[in-house]
Amino acid sequence: MAKSLTSKDLLVWLQSPDPEKVIAAAEELRIRKSDSGIELLLSLLKITDNNNVRNAVALTLADLKEERAFQILHQLLLNDSTAKSRGTLLYAISVFDCTSIFPLLIDFVIEGNFEVSRQAFSILEQMELEIDEKTFHEYSEKLQKAIENASQDRLSLLLELQSFFIP
């Protein structure tokens, strides 16, 4: 993108009906580390149904470490409409403190597609988490059941996750 575009130009592009312009503007704001479009980016993250736009915006907000994006990303991860496109959303949310979504991450490792399960595992691997005994047992049992029914390609990941639950 031409460096001659001003921040004002990028804000106009963020509001464009053309997804390519929106993506280009989000990426340029990320490169510039500019927070001039934060409100528009947050709004776009909430409302867009274009996966490519959503991913570009999520990555920009993550790179800018915009804390308000965490809750939106969390809601998107829970939304059925993102079921086939959660990998980038998980990557973006990983820059934030994810302890509050620990159960969701465990579920994604157990039930998510290849990319989602690995990305969720990667987040869990980086966490320093103290969990209460009740939660420990609940997820320990859930994980054991998943291991018993796991396909060969998921088994090693689940066994590695289980090692997190060994006291």
Side-chain angles (χ1 to χ4, degrees):
M1 178 178 297
K3 290 288 184 190
S4 61
L5 287 175
T6 65
S7 291
K8 185 177 178 181
D9 295 330
L10 294 174
L11 296 178
V12 169
W13 279 29
L14 282 178
Q15 298 173 70
S16 170
D18 179 359
E20 295 304 317
K21 279 189 173 183
V22 176
I23 292 166
E27 289 174 352
E28 186 62 25
L29 288 169
R30 186 173 82 225
I31 290 166
R32 292 182 187 185
K33 303 275 188 231
S34 172
D35 62 359
S36 63
I38 293 288
E39 296 304 324
L40 280 172
L41 291 166
L42 289 166
S43 177
L44 272 169
L45 187 60
K46 285 180 193 174
I47 65 171
T48 189
D49 59 359
N50 182 307
N51 290 339
N52 295 327
V53 169
R54 183 183 309 114
N55 288 344
V57 169
L59 293 173
T60 297
L61 290 166
D63 280 1
L64 295 173
K65 307 250 188 301
E66 175 53 53
E67 293 287 335
R68 292 176 290 173
F70 178 86
Q71 193 60 38
I72 300 168
L73 289 166
H74 179 222
Q75 290 305 311
L76 287 168
L77 289 168
L78 294 171
N79 191 322
D80 289 339
S81 70
T82 64
K84 296 186 187 300
S85 59
R86 289 180 174 143
T88 302
L89 298 176
L90 280 165
Y91 179 81
I93 206 169
S94 72
V95 303
F96 304 108
D97 176 5
C98 291
T99 54
S100 65
I101 63 167
F102 165 79
L104 179 64
L105 295 171
I106 296 288
D107 289 341
F108 282 160
V109 172
I110 292 171
E111 301 162 9
N113 66 30
F114 183 87
E115 181 184 11
V116 167
S117 63
R118 274 55 179 188
Q119 189 62 48
F121 180 86
S122 177
I123 296 170
L124 288 164
E125 201 172 32
Q126 303 305 315
M127 293 172 79
E128 292 183 28
L129 184 66
E130 291 186 30
I131 55 176
D132 60 74
E133 192 171 332
K134 180 181 180 261
T135 303
F136 175 84
H137 288 296
E138 178 184 340
Y139 281 92
S140 225
E141 289 175 17
K142 186 173 191 171
L143 193 52
Q144 185 56 44
K145 287 178 186 171
I147 288 169
E148 291 168 8
N149 299 311
S151 62
Q152 194 59 39
D153 65 322
R154 189 171 304 254
L155 185 59
S156 63
L157 184 68
L158 294 176
L159 289 171
E160 193 170 346
L161 181 59
Q162 187 181 42
S163 71
F164 295 178
F165 287 90
I166 297 173

